[in-house]
Amino acid sequence: MTIHRPPERAPGNNSAHRPGTAPDPVLAPLTGPQTAQLIRLALDAAGENGLHATFDGTDALLLSPGPLLPQLSSDLVAGLSNLARVVAPEHPHRWPRLVHDHFNRLGAHLSDGPPPPPTDPTRDLIARLVPTTALPSSWTAGMPEFLPGLLAVPATHTDGVVTLHLDPNDFGMTREDALDTALTNLRHHPDHVEHFTHEGATITALSGSTFAASRALVLDTVLRETLHTENPPHGVLVALPARSLLLIHVIDDLAILPALAVMLGLSLRTHTTQPGPLTPWIHHVTAAGWSPATTQPDDLRSVHLTPALQSLTRTLP
């Protein structure tokens, strides 16, 4: 069964075929000309904030040690991927201010030096999902992945800045204890909750927080306290496309099919356009654990139910 197929477009209406409108292969959803504009703005903004910056040729600026960065012993990489997603939906006249503000905050953080360890880890730590590829492999050696490509990391959130704590020995905790403490605090993290329906299927969306998707780490609490259900016999569908969105559908009947279709479309779009992308795919979560709900083709041309989920649908009313 095909659950998602990109709509066909008439050749004359396909904007991706018009010069300059195809998404940039690295800094999507920006087009090539928009990417060039963002790079120019970023270099200017970095210079205005006293940062020595050069473009690395792909998706980041290299910030070199200088008078404002005495604590750096080598170049620092400032990625542009999330900034591209921030400016993409905005009118171009707002881009200079958004980019300048971004590098103003970055310059302030760098000149202040590394953030200090939490003074009260038991109160301050909170668990956060992070793409494995976003961190150097030497920093994450031995850390188990929560899902393929995603790590659960203890973090702190202060004045809008999230700091990951990959070495809790700095404040006298083991990795295991720090993550357990962070998960306990994540269970109490508030979220903005909305419920919407599509062809008889109810889908719950958690948003409004940079830790919304991370609530998947404490899904049992979310099911119990937000959806008022425990141990649903057929499990749930879960999507965590970007750090600020978590989608859930409790499986009761064949409404699983429209739920899966709308969740997949929303997840693919959010993963492509929103800051902090995690995974575009939908997962089937049961007492036995997490498993893919669909195939995961690279070209996204046609997405099908997995054999296990197909078997489940045959038993549903």
Side-chain angles (χ1 to χ4, degrees):
M1 174 184 295
T2 301
I3 199 69
H4 174 80
R5 187 189 299 276
E8 297 294 334
R9 297 172 182 253
N13 295 327
N14 191 344
S15 63
H17 291 170
R18 295 199 298 269
T21 60
D24 185 89
V26 177
L27 290 177
L30 300 185
T31 64
Q34 288 175 325
T35 293
Q37 180 186 5
L38 176 64
I39 293 168
R40 287 194 299 271
L41 290 172
L43 289 170
D44 290 345
E48 290 169 4
N49 284 280
L51 304 173
H52 301 296
T54 57
F55 180 54
D56 73 349
T58 54
D59 65 349
L61 299 189
L62 299 179
L63 306 179
S64 303
L68 291 184
L69 306 174
Q71 69 276 17
L72 294 183
S73 58
S74 61
D75 287 352
L76 179 72
V77 178
L80 298 176
S81 297
N82 281 331
L83 184 57
R85 291 162 182 256
V86 169
V87 303
E90 301 290 342
H91 191 280
H93 82 270
R94 294 201 65 229
W95 286 26
R97 172 51 56 189
L98 292 170
V99 175
H100 177 84
D101 289 349
H102 173 83
F103 280 94
N104 187 41
R105 291 191 298 270
L106 179 61
H109 295 321
L110 291 174
S111 59
D112 289 343
T119 55
D120 186 353
T122 302
R123 180 196 64 194
D124 297 337
L125 289 179
I126 184 169
R128 185 174 179 87
L129 281 170
V130 180
T132 307
T133 55
L135 299 169
S137 58
S138 59
W139 293 7
T140 60
M143 294 180 64
E145 291 185 321
F146 171 69
L147 289 174
L150 295 178
L151 293 167
V153 180
T156 50
H157 189 206
T158 305
D159 297 330
V161 178
V162 175
T163 302
L164 304 180
H165 297 282
L166 296 168
D167 188 5
N169 287 322
D170 290 344
F171 42 89
M173 299 182 78
T174 65
R175 273 186 176 178
E176 293 75 14
D177 288 343
L179 184 56
D180 285 346
T181 299
L183 288 169
T184 296
N185 290 333
L186 182 64
R187 293 186 185 278
H188 303 294
H189 186 73
D191 285 302
H192 176 71
V193 179
E194 292 182 278
H195 305 280
F196 61 95
T197 59
H198 175 74
E199 296 183 6
T202 299
I203 299 163
T204 299
L206 275 62
S207 61
S209 164
T210 187
F211 286 87
S214 296
R215 292 270 284 170
L217 294 166
V218 290
L219 187 62
D220 58 335
T221 295
V222 174
L223 292 178
R224 182 176 62 254
E225 298 183 0
T226 302
L227 280 76
H228 308 294
T229 184
E230 292 191 71
N231 304 315
H234 304 298
V236 295
L237 298 178
V238 179
L240 45 158
R243 62 193 178 201
S244 59
L245 181 63
L246 181 67
L247 300 172
I248 305 170
H249 169 71
V250 179
I251 302 171
D252 291 317
D253 51 32
L254 285 176
I256 182 180
L257 298 178
L260 186 56
V262 73
M263 288 175 68
L264 187 59
L266 181 56
S267 186
L268 290 170
R269 183 167 64 252
T270 301
H271 184 263
T272 302
T273 61
Q274 295 299 306
L278 296 176
T279 173
W281 302 112
I282 313 301
H283 290 83
H284 180 209
V285 187
T286 66
W290 291 61
S291 59
T294 69
T295 57
Q296 302 177 358
D298 291 336
D299 60 6
L300 301 181
R301 293 306 306 167
S302 193
V303 179
H304 305 276
L305 296 179
T306 60
L309 211 62
Q310 287 190 46
S311 297
L312 173 62
T313 61
R314 298 188 189 104
T315 70
L316 296 174

